[in-house]
Amino acid sequence: MNSGQLPFATSDTAPLLVRCCDSPSGAGLVAVADRFSVSVLQPTTRSSGGTASGVSSTDLMALDFDCLGGLFPGVRARSLAWSPLTVSAVQSASSFESSPPLSGGSETQSVHTRLSLCVGGHDTLLHYLAWETDTVVADPTLAVSSSSDATSTAPLTSPVLQTSLVLSGHRSAPIQCNFHPRTDRLTLASIADDLTAKVWDLTTQQITAEFFTAYSPVAVQWHPSEPEQLMVAHAGGEICIQDLRSNRVALRMHAPSTAPLSSVDWCVLDSLRVGAASGSEWFVWDLSSSSDPLQARVGHGHSAQHFRWSNTHANVFATAGSSNLKVWDQHRYEMPLSVSLNSWVGSLSWMPTSP
């Protein structure tokens, strides 16, 4: 485990993609892809301090990271997705808080970590990679501590069990992939510039459903609570919710913009809300009322390339342009945060909770 800021100092190691784990069991983990590998990180908080008005110090913070490990799929990543089977050391250690000592009076406990994700590669393949470790420590909280003086005894780690699957079916690089949230059977949805959206069963490694789009797809996402509904959106502005049981379109929406649709997201906390970015505008739909957008606003001077709902506040979402980031409050119709960046925004992902 390496601590500190990441050495993304050259063009070869600069982060291309970032994906926070949104599974409760893996909360806090971050996957970062550069040209050669995918690193799995665990953040540690370094607060910048509160304000005189009483704002919490967690409202504005800088983060350092512990690097838990690296993957080398042998191909440059185009998309990333965390599996719901992921279990972080933080979540595993917390389960031991009320556990009795092991038999024989030993005070040691085994902290289990399972890292499981999919990498959509520029080789047109989907690479599913998983590995797990059991770390034996005297105090489970030491397994997740980032302080160098937290313990003088190094944890003992058992051999790593690795799993690797390759899914072949797309004719171009998968530009987005997402796992179904259920854990009893691994199901993955993916899209690519070959104008298809595919649903995969990782147990059989077979395609179980396939949809075709008129333009390049830009988003694929599972319904937050309905297991058989899948959203597929393409650059022509159309957003379709597919019913996998009937193999029909349950709902169809269209962004009223002449610019290509660039990003679409389904609100995890309120499944009736869908948001999108197109050109310099963002749109929000209420699925219970109309197929027309409920709200629309110019958000960026140039193109808005990313739209992501918050995982902790149903009314909050973020948009990112080529070199700026903005956070919006839908109910108050205001922008509480706007940040100018010194580089191009390649991806946008919310932390599920404050670390």
Side-chain angles (χ1 to χ4, degrees), residues 15-53:
L16 301 173
L17 295 171
V18 176
R19 184 74 186 263
C20 300
C21 185
D22 47 15
S23 171
S25 61
L29 295 178
V30 182
V32 179
D34 58 32
R35 287 184 58 188
F36 304 108
S37 65
V38 178
S39 299
V40 177
L41 314 177
Q42 182 176 284
T44 58
T45 304
R46 291 200 174 178
S47 172
S48 61
T51 65
S53 59

Side-chain angles (χ1 to χ4, degrees), residues 1-8 41-44 46 63-67 146-147:
M1 180 183 293
N2 299 320
S3 300
Q5 297 181 345
L6 295 176
F8 294 136
L41 314 177
Q42 182 176 284
T44 58
R46 291 200 174 178
L63 295 178
D64 281 349
F65 293 88
D66 291 335
C67 185
S146 61
S147 301

Side-chain angles (χ1 to χ4, degrees), residues 5-339:
Q5 297 181 345
L6 295 176
F8 294 136
T10 69
S11 59
D12 288 341
T13 59
L16 301 173
L17 295 171
V18 176
R19 184 74 186 263
C20 300
C21 185
D22 47 15
S23 171
S25 61
L29 295 178
V30 182
V32 179
D34 58 32
R35 287 184 58 188
F36 304 108
S37 65
V38 178
S39 299
V40 177
L41 314 177
Q42 182 176 284
T44 58
T45 304
R46 291 200 174 178
S47 172
S48 61
T51 65
S53 59
V55 176
S56 170
S57 61
T58 57
D59 289 339
L60 184 62
M61 65 179 69
L63 295 178
D64 281 349
F65 293 88
D66 291 335
C67 185
L68 303 183
L71 294 173
F72 300 91
V75 64
R76 180 172 174 175
R78 180 73 188 274
S79 55
L80 295 172
W82 282 99
S83 158
L85 299 182
T86 297
V87 178
S88 71
V90 175
Q91 299 299 322
S92 181
S94 64
S95 66
F96 292 116
E97 290 179 356
S98 58
S99 300
L102 298 177
S103 58
S106 172
E107 296 295 331
T108 62
Q109 295 282 11
S110 178
V111 177
H112 186 71
T113 302
R114 183 192 301 120
L115 306 176
S116 170
L117 51 86
C118 185
V119 179
H122 277 265
D123 58 356
T124 77
L125 303 175
L126 289 158
H127 302 260
Y128 173 70
L129 304 162
W131 72 105
E132 48 191 310
T133 62
D134 288 303
T135 305
V136 180
V137 293
D139 181 351
T141 59
L142 298 181
V144 297
S145 174
S146 61
S147 301
S148 58
D149 58 350
T151 176
S152 58
T153 304
L156 302 177
T157 304
S158 65
V160 177
L161 172 64
Q162 294 191 351
T163 302
S164 177
L165 299 175
V166 176
L167 305 177
S168 174
H170 282 296
R171 297 189 304 274
S172 61
I175 58 179
Q176 191 179 74
C177 53
N178 276 303
F179 279 95
H180 195 286
R182 69 184 184 187
T183 58
D184 60 325
R185 191 177 184 89
L186 278 180
T187 304
L188 180 76
S190 62
I191 54 173
D193 285 332
D194 58 8
L195 306 185
T196 66
K198 303 180 189 294
V199 178
W200 309 78
D201 183 335
L202 268 69
T203 303
T204 63
Q205 301 180 44
Q206 298 296 314
I207 298 172
T208 60
E210 186 173 28
F211 307 98
F212 298 89
T213 60
Y215 299 87
S216 294
V218 298
V220 62
Q221 194 168 358
W222 295 98
H223 191 290
S225 57
E226 293 290 338
E228 299 299 328
Q229 290 193 359
L230 181 71
M231 179 185 70
V232 179
H234 65 65
E238 189 174 67
I239 304 170
C240 295
I241 298 178
Q242 305 279 352
D243 189 322
L244 300 183
R245 291 163 296 194
S246 63
N247 200 28
R248 295 182 178 179
V249 177
L251 183 63
R252 196 185 307 268
M253 299 168 287
H254 199 278
S257 173
T258 57
L261 197 65
S262 56
S263 179
V264 183
D265 195 29
W266 213 332
C267 183
V268 176
L269 301 179
D270 184 352
S271 61
L272 295 177
R273 300 186 198 185
V274 170
S278 177
S280 60
E281 300 176 280
W282 57 257
F283 304 93
V284 172
W285 285 264
D286 181 347
L287 304 187
S288 66
S289 60
S290 172
S291 60
D292 297 324
L294 176 68
Q295 289 179 300
R297 181 169 175 176
V298 174
H300 295 267
H302 301 288
S303 63
Q305 299 168 343
H306 305 280
F307 184 108
R308 292 291 181 270
W309 289 100
S310 168
N311 296 317
T312 56
H313 299 82
N315 303 320
V316 175
F317 59 88
T319 59
S322 57
S323 60
N324 54 12
L325 168 69
K326 297 183 179 182
V327 176
W328 308 83
D329 187 321
Q330 182 193 1
H331 273 188
R332 297 181 180 179
Y333 210 71
E334 64 183 14
M335 182 179 58
L337 178 65
S338 179
V339 180

